């Protein structure tokens, strides 16, 4: 099963969104988006923030947020 970060990165690239696009839409700092896509959860704030980041990215890109939060 693909990790949540890998899925978000793949879908972002397939849809042609840049990190800056996602940052502007979600207000998630680009360094945190990079850490999320790399599944570097230790570099991110508390677990509640990570879940919120996953949900925000999913909503922006039209993905199933429940599935990716469960993978996390």
């Amino acid at each position: 099963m693909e990790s949540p970060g890998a899925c978000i990165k793949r879908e972002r690239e397939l849809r042609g969104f840049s990190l800056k696009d996602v940052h502007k839409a979600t207000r998630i700092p680009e360094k945190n988006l990079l850490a999320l896509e790399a599944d570097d959860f230790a570099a991110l704030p508390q677990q509640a923030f990570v879940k919120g980041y996953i949900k925000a990215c999913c909503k922006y890109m039209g993905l199933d947020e429940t599935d990716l939060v469960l993978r996390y």
Side-chain angles (χ1 to χ4, degrees), residues 46-59:
Q46 301 170 352
Q47 184 179 13
F49 281 98
V50 177
K51 288 181 180 181
Y53 290 170
I54 291 171
K55 288 179 181 183
C57 288
C58 289
K59 284 180 185 176

Side-chain angles (χ1 to χ4, degrees), residues 35-71:
L36 180 64
E37 289 185 352
D39 295 308
D40 184 7
F41 302 118
L44 294 169
Q46 301 170 352
Q47 184 179 13
F49 281 98
V50 177
K51 288 181 180 181
Y53 290 170
I54 291 171
K55 288 179 181 183
C57 288
C58 289
K59 284 180 185 176
Y60 176 65
M61 294 188 281
L63 303 174
D64 180 12
E65 64 186 69
T66 304
D67 177 50
L68 288 181
V69 169
L70 288 175
R71 289 186 200 187

